[in-house]
Amino acid sequence: MTFDELLSNPTLLKTPCELVFPQSWCQGRTAFGGLSAAMMLQNMKHQLPDNRRVLSMSVNFVGPLFSEHPFIIETQILRSGKNATQMLSTIKQGEKVCLVAQGCFAKERESKAIVPITQNHQLSPANSERILPYQKNVMPEFFQHVALNLQDGDMPFSGSNNSTLGGWMKFKQAPTDTLQDVHLLALADAWPPTLLQMADTPSPASSMSWYIEFVEDITLSNNAWLGFEAHTHHSANGYGLEDAKIYADDGRLLALSRQTVAIFDM
């Protein structure tokens, strides 16, 4: 199933809702985190009282979410005021909490406080002929659905001294309509952690927490590439902190992301 087919499931209109996702969207033994987070965001958006865009989303990956088994998304509106709405969403599978997410949504308002975006990426134009290949039993299963054009950094498990990562990303099967916030959210989690390239043998890694802020409402061409640049700020004792910026193909900054990652390389 494509990403859009999974996200257009009418079950996501209500809360709580029960869903299942296929093995082809796994990374290792658990769900691709970008997909599960996007499902939670989609469910939140369906509960909004009116037209409000997502400002930020915070996700904690509590435990594994397995494919081919039912799981339940439940979303609660914590508060909905004149301009902003705060929501809490959980994913449970077999009575165990797998993910917890908090989303902040708001209407845009007139304001005299204006600070232009000053961030610019350092990427070359996307090269569709240099996509990280999907190799069964070597790459995560969900790699068969995403196209990643690596430009900065090295391959995972290459023993590199590099701790930055950058390139372009999109779905191999383009969205049926426009590319929106749920697509960006999923794609932003498609890259391997920056630390995996420093490991010299295959090693598991896991996102512990993830916080992403959206600069603007996102409506892009369904076949658009998104730019990605990530930097490691610190890593020690098995945990690392990495920041990332996500750009439109015309250079506009779209989102800021931060993750805490656990790596098991010993």
Side-chain angles (χ1 to χ4, degrees):
M1 296 181 72
T2 68
F3 180 80
D4 273 20
E5 287 172 340
L6 290 168
L7 269 288
S8 62
N9 189 327
T11 304
L12 282 166
L13 292 168
K14 60 183 182 180
T15 184
C17 62
E18 184 175 283
L19 302 116
V20 176
F21 73 91
Q23 174 66 28
S24 66
W25 282 97
C26 275
Q27 52 185 86
R29 68 191 185 112
T30 189
F32 165 43
L35 172 64
S36 49
M39 285 181 161
M40 298 173 94
L41 175 58
Q42 188 80 326
N43 188 243
M44 289 180 183
K45 291 173 69 174
H46 285 314
Q47 315 313 316
L48 285 171
D50 49 29
N51 188 26
R52 304 180 180 205
R53 78 170 183 89
V54 59
L55 296 181
S56 65
M57 189 165 176
S58 175
V59 183
N60 277 64
F61 299 94
V62 180
L65 176 63
F66 299 110
S67 66
E68 313 296 349
H69 290 80
F71 61 91
I72 293 173
I73 300 178
E74 185 168 7
T75 295
Q76 174 187 2
I77 297 178
L78 301 176
R79 184 181 186 277
S80 191
K82 181 180 179 181
N83 295 302
T85 300
Q86 300 272 359
M87 293 188 184
L88 181 68
S89 183
T90 59
I91 289 182
K92 292 182 179 180
Q93 191 172 58
E95 301 302 318
K96 293 182 179 180
V97 176
C98 303
L99 284 86
V100 177
Q102 186 169 346
C104 179
F105 303 80
K107 293 181 179 179
E108 296 191 347
R109 299 177 292 108
E110 293 292 330
S111 173
K112 294 181 180 179
I114 299 175
V115 180
I117 295 171
T118 58
Q119 301 289 336
N120 294 295
H121 68 73
Q122 305 299 315
L123 301 169
S124 301
N127 186 345
S128 59
E129 296 182 0
R130 299 193 62 185
I131 302 302
L132 294 182
Y134 169 65
Q135 301 176 52
K136 190 171 180 60
N137 299 324
V138 176
M139 311 293 275
E141 289 286 323
F142 77 88
F143 257 53
Q144 59 193 295
H145 301 290
V146 298
L148 302 181
N149 172 214
L150 178 66
Q151 293 192 355
D152 178 27
D154 297 293
M155 293 290 290
F157 320 128
S158 59
S160 171
N161 292 322
N162 201 345
S163 62
T164 63
L165 201 62
W168 296 91
M169 53 191 179
K170 69 176 182 177
F171 286 105
K172 290 179 179 176
Q173 178 68 47
T176 53
D177 192 4
T178 55
L179 190 150
Q180 300 177 13
D181 45 25
V182 289
H183 302 97
L184 183 151
L185 182 68
L187 286 169
D189 194 47
W191 293 89
T194 54
L195 297 175
L196 275 187
Q197 61 191 306
M198 304 183 76
D200 54 12
T201 58
S203 308
S206 176
S207 295
M208 304 292 290
S209 62
W210 181 24
Y211 181 66
I212 185 166
E213 297 172 306
F214 296 84
V215 176
E216 61 180 61
D217 195 18
I218 297 167
T219 304
L220 301 172
S221 164
N222 68 336
N223 205 36
W225 287 93
L226 296 177
F228 179 86
E229 289 185 326
H231 302 269
T232 305
H233 287 288
H234 177 263
S235 178
N237 305 311
Y239 300 94
L241 303 176
E242 63 177 62
D243 276 352
K245 299 180 180 69
I246 297 98
Y247 298 90
D249 53 7
D250 63 4
R252 285 178 295 129
L253 180 67
L254 297 176
L256 300 169
S257 171
R258 168 167 286 194
Q259 290 197 68
T260 299
V261 176
I263 183 168
F264 305 88
D265 61 334
M266 296 296 291

